[in-house]
Amino acid sequence: VVSDSEQLAESILTRLPDERKEIELAHVQVFLSELWDRAAPSGPLKGSVELHAGLVHPDDNLAGVLDSFLKKQLAELTPVHGGKAPMELLAAMISERYTKLQLDAGELESHFIKNGIHLPRPLPELLRELEQRRILRTLKAGEQTRFEISHDVLARVVGQNLTEEMKLRE
């Protein structure tokens, strides 16, 4: 259920960057997902969820919402792909200035081997799951497939979440 959809939309849009007067759908999806989590009743009670402008906090911004989104996604990926693998993959996909890089599966595999990181599941499974969760996107040019973090702001958020070990390796 959405209370006053116009007011909710305005509250969300004021928190998203739009220098070119364009809003990326993925950002709106992530923002709405965060609001859904805030509105959803915790515990065994299940009922309808009401989305309203009051769920948007005064200090909400895209980077903060993406940070929360990334942490939730990594927490869900950890039991299946191990504690290090998802974040290590994302760390390999950013530059030292926390901008996104485009890498192919071979380059990512080399990163894991070079740094002695064991992948509990095959790399293609992790890549597919990160893509399904809107963290990565696939770029195809002819026969070549490359991967990149889905947005520049998310690449910056990944950079801000690097472990000390990852920072030292840089």
Side-chain angles (χ1 to χ4, degrees), residues 121-139:
R121 311 271 312 168
L123 179 61
E125 284 183 29
L126 178 56
L127 290 168
R128 190 170 34 259
E129 191 146 0
L130 287 167
E131 186 176 17
Q132 290 170 347
R133 292 171 180 266
R134 300 181 311 272
I135 296 170
L136 294 183
R137 67 175 152 217
T138 302
L139 308 165

Side-chain angles (χ1 to χ4, degrees), residues 73-86 118-122 125-126 129 133:
Q73 298 303 310
L74 291 173
E76 290 175 14
L77 290 166
T78 296
V80 176
H81 295 282
K84 282 186 165 188
H118 170 70
L119 289 171
R121 311 271 312 168
E125 284 183 29
L126 178 56
E129 191 146 0
R133 292 171 180 266

Side-chain angles (χ1 to χ4, degrees), residues 49-67:
V49 172
E50 182 181 349
L51 295 179
H52 53 86
L55 295 169
V56 180
H57 299 157
D59 59 342
D60 278 340
N61 61 35
L62 182 59
V65 170
L66 286 173
D67 184 64

